[in-house]
């Protein structure tokens, strides 16, 4: 690999594997990242005398060579700073330049074209007093070394990559249950719009939803309208998430294993264009987005990743920038559930859609630095618990208020009986007119007899 035959070691969930050659190092890269990087520059930190793998950072190779210097400086600084914050600065670095040949281009030509970039990576790390032990170019199924002068192990024409699954690293990864998800290009395609003919219908639905929803989420909108919209979007999201409780149908009705295109089509069929449009536009409200970020654990988190992936694919032109919200939620849910490769891809795409999206930037940095997502999970759990407690308290107060209102309106012994109302000018038999004294003996005297006025003088009644 280089003049001093430096060895490196990679860990597959507790089992340490020693890599002794550029070929083994190139074969280990997909297992370190979780996917085959394409059009990528990758730096991996090495720690200790054995060169134990540590932090890593990946970025797309700039298409313009004039950006190589600044990119090299930025990558080196970010990796060293991230490692220093976690444990200690790296003791060494290995780099990878991964790019397939273009039209009418060979792998050897890619190797030579990227040589200045490889050299700039070495000087950028050297300026930080971190040695670069190896930089490999991986292109067209071959790997080339920019550092090893020994043509017996690193010939100028390159060396074919090992067959998939035949290396020691592949065997150790399979034993540990680590899977390579395919190429970076394939992973990104799962989050990007598929193109016509479905784009037209989805674009029309987005136009309709934008006219109704955008005025209710922009700054200065009526807060009551915004609150009603939030509840509507949250309820819709909950109903749609329920459709993803069933796992992907990887086996077709004919018993054959379905490809990724068929799986994506099955997922897309679970969300109608109008529903997708309402959710995409509703996620532009930060409070709504943060509430939905609580779908982050277990089966609910895995289903949420699939839902956010579908919504990201529905952000067709000219709504590409709106994909930052569902892509960030997909990255967060994937990272929280332990799927770092998917998380890195989704967060990279979110920043590509909107480089200033703060939530994506913070998550991307935390994921790259290898931080534990539990701190953010705990914060979201506390927020949800506080919200539920406040809602229960408000409901209890409302119940007590209704009870007091009913109590004030009630009379002891039950409600007052209603009195019969007589017709105007009419007197019922045996009863007087309304307001008259109850009938007694005097009311039964013969007509014409006048009632006595008082009693005899000197008697008790006549006093």
């Amino acid at each position: 690999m280089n003049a001093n035959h430096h060895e490196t070691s990679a860990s597959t969930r507790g089992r340490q594997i020693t890599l002794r050659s550029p070929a083994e190092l190139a074969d280990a890269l997909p297992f370190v990242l979780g996917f085959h990087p394409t059009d990528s520059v990758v730096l991996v930190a090495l720690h200790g005398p054995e060169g134990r793998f540590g932090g890593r950072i990946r970025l797309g190779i700039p298409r313009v060579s004039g950006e190589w210097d600044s990119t090299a400086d930025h990558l080196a600084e970010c990796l060293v700073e991230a490692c220093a914050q976690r444990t200690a600065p790296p003791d060494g670095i290995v780099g990878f330049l991964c790019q397939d040949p273009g039209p009418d281009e060979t792998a050897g030509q890619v190797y030579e074209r990227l040589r200045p970039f490889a050299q700039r990576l070495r000087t950028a790390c050297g300026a930080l007093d971190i040695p670069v032990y190896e930089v490999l170019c991986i292109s067209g199924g071959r790997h080339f070394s920019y550092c090893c002068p020994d043509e017996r192990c690193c010939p100028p024409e390159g060396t074919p990559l090992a067959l998939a699954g035949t290396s020691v690293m592949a065997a150790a990864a399979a034993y540990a249950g680590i899977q390579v998800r395919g190429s970076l290009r394939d992973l990104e395609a799962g989050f990007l719009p598929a193109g016509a003919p479905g784009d037209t219908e989805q674009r029309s639905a987005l136009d309709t939803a934008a006219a109704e929803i955008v005025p209710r989420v922009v700054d200065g909108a009526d807060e009551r309208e915004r609150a009603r919209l939030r509840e509507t979007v949250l309820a819709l999201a909950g109903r749609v998430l329920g459709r993803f409780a069933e796992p992907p149908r990887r086996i077709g009705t004919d018993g054959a294993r379905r490809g990724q295109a068929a799986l994506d089509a099955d997922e897309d069929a679970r969300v109608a264009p109008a529903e997708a449009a309402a959710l995409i536009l509703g996620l532009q409200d930060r409070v709504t987005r943060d509430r939905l970020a609580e779908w982050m654990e277990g089966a609910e988190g895995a289903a949420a990743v699939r839902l956010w992936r579908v919504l990201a694919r529905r952000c067709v032109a000219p709504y590409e920038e709106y994909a930052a919200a569902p892509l960030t939620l997909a990255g967060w849910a994937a990272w929280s559930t332990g799927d770092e490769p998917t998380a890195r891809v989704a967060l990279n795409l979110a920043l590509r859609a909107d480089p200033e999206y703060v939530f994506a930037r913070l998550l991307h940095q935390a994921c790259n630095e290898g931080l534990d997502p539990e701190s953010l999970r705990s914060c979201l759990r506390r927020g949800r618990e506080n919200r539920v407690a406040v809602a229960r308290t408000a409901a209890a107060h409302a119940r007590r208020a209704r009870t007091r209102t009913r109590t004030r309106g009630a009379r002891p012994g039950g409600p007052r009986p209603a009195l019969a109302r007589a017709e105007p000018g009419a007197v019922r038999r045996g009863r007087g007119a309304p307001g008259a004294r109850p009938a007694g003996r005097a009311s039964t005297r013969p007509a014409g007899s006048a009632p006595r006025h008082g009693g005899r003088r000197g008697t008790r009644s006549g006093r």
Side-chain angles (χ1 to χ4, degrees):
M1 178 162 54
N2 51 40
N4 62 1
H5 302 287
H6 186 85
E7 294 184 352
T8 63
S9 61
S11 175
T12 54
R13 296 183 183 176
R15 181 179 179 182
Q16 184 170 295
I17 305 298
T18 301
L19 309 175
R20 295 184 174 86
S21 68
E24 293 181 349
L25 192 62
D27 182 69
L29 180 61
F31 299 99
V32 173
L33 297 178
F35 55 85
H36 293 277
T38 51
D39 294 324
S40 301
V41 50
V42 182
L43 296 182
V44 180
L46 305 177
H47 295 275
E50 297 181 351
R52 176 177 48 83
F53 276 16
R56 63 268 192 194
I57 189 169
R58 189 207 65 84
L59 191 68
I61 296 177
R63 297 183 181 277
V64 181
S65 59
E67 299 178 0
W68 288 354
D69 289 353
S70 60
T71 300
D73 293 337
H74 177 69
L75 288 173
E77 292 172 1
C78 288
L79 180 61
V80 172
E81 181 180 354
C83 291
Q85 290 179 352
R86 289 190 62 195
T87 53
D91 298 304
I93 289 176
V94 293
F96 303 85
L97 296 176
C98 308
Q99 191 172 75
D100 290 333
D104 303 325
E105 190 178 30
T106 65
Q109 291 172 330
V110 174
Y111 164 64
E112 291 297 336
R113 176 167 54 81
L114 296 178
R115 183 183 290 276
F117 191 21
Q119 182 60 31
R120 190 63 185 82
L121 289 170
R122 298 178 67 185
T123 58
C125 296
L128 301 175
D129 295 328
I130 308 296
V132 176
Y133 291 113
E134 181 60 278
V135 179
L136 294 178
C137 175
I138 301 177
S139 179
R142 308 178 74 84
H143 67 82
F144 305 79
S145 173
Y146 289 111
C147 300
C148 180
D150 191 346
E151 295 186 1
R152 292 173 299 179
C153 64
C154 300
E157 66 274 13
T159 305
L161 295 173
L163 295 176
T166 60
S167 66
V168 175
M169 185 70 180
Y175 178 78
I178 298 175
Q179 296 181 349
V180 177
R181 307 296 181 84
S183 71
L184 174 62
R185 189 179 296 111
D186 294 336
L187 288 177
E188 289 181 342
F191 289 97
L192 299 175
D199 283 8
T200 302
E201 183 180 6
Q202 187 60 62
R203 186 179 299 106
S204 176
L206 285 166
D207 290 339
T208 302
E212 177 187 356
I213 295 177
V214 170
R216 301 166 68 183
V217 299
V218 296
D219 294 338
D222 182 73
E223 192 58 38
R224 288 174 297 180
E225 280 295 315
R226 182 177 293 184
R228 283 194 289 267
L229 176 63
R230 285 171 185 159
E231 295 306 317
T232 300
V233 173
L234 291 171
L236 174 61
R239 293 194 300 270
V240 175
L241 181 70
R243 303 170 194 169
F244 289 83
E246 180 187 351
R249 304 183 184 97
R250 300 187 179 277
I251 305 299
T253 55
D254 57 354
R257 187 173 183 83
R258 309 174 73 190
Q260 188 60 46
L263 291 175
D264 291 344
D266 179 57
E267 303 278 72
D268 285 332
R270 305 184 189 209
V271 187
E275 293 174 327
L279 292 174
I280 291 169
L281 273 299
L283 285 176
Q284 307 312 306
D285 176 64
R286 184 182 61 81
V287 176
T288 303
R289 181 206 65 193
D290 292 348
R291 286 277 300 274
L292 294 176
E294 296 172 0
W295 296 345
M296 58 185 177
E297 296 178 277
E300 184 181 62
V305 174
R306 295 160 57 201
L307 171 58
W308 306 140
R309 182 186 284 115
V310 169
L311 295 185
R313 286 200 297 266
R314 300 295 185 86
C315 293
V316 300
Y319 294 91
E320 297 95 337
E321 186 176 346
Y322 288 74
L327 284 169
T328 302
L329 288 175
W332 159 239
W335 182 36
S336 179
T337 53
D339 187 357
E340 285 194 19
T342 299
R344 294 174 187 273
V345 171
L347 293 173
N348 278 328
L349 290 175
L351 292 176
R352 187 186 303 176
D354 184 358
E356 302 302 322
Y357 202 71
V358 176
F359 192 25
R361 292 174 62 183
L362 294 175
L363 290 175
H364 186 259
Q365 180 180 356
C367 186
N368 282 333
E369 292 179 359
L371 301 181
D372 189 349
E374 178 56 29
S375 58
L376 181 53
R377 282 198 297 258
S378 299
C379 181
L380 290 173
R381 288 193 204 101
R382 287 194 299 270
R384 178 170 53 193
E385 292 168 359
N386 292 339
R387 188 177 66 255
V388 171
V390 169
R392 288 176 177 172
T393 302
H397 287 325
R399 286 195 299 270
R400 285 196 291 269
R402 289 194 297 269
T403 302
R404 286 196 296 269
T405 301
R406 289 195 297 267
T407 302
R408 292 194 191 104
R411 298 179 62 88
R416 176 184 295 177
L419 297 177
R421 299 184 62 183
E423 297 180 3
V427 177
R428 297 183 180 181
R429 177 175 296 181
R431 296 183 182 181
R437 299 173 66 182
R441 284 184 175 180
S443 63
T444 61
R445 290 194 184 103
S449 61
R452 289 184 178 183
H453 298 281
R456 287 181 301 172
R457 189 176 182 82
T459 64
R460 186 180 299 273
S461 61
R463 287 178 182 175

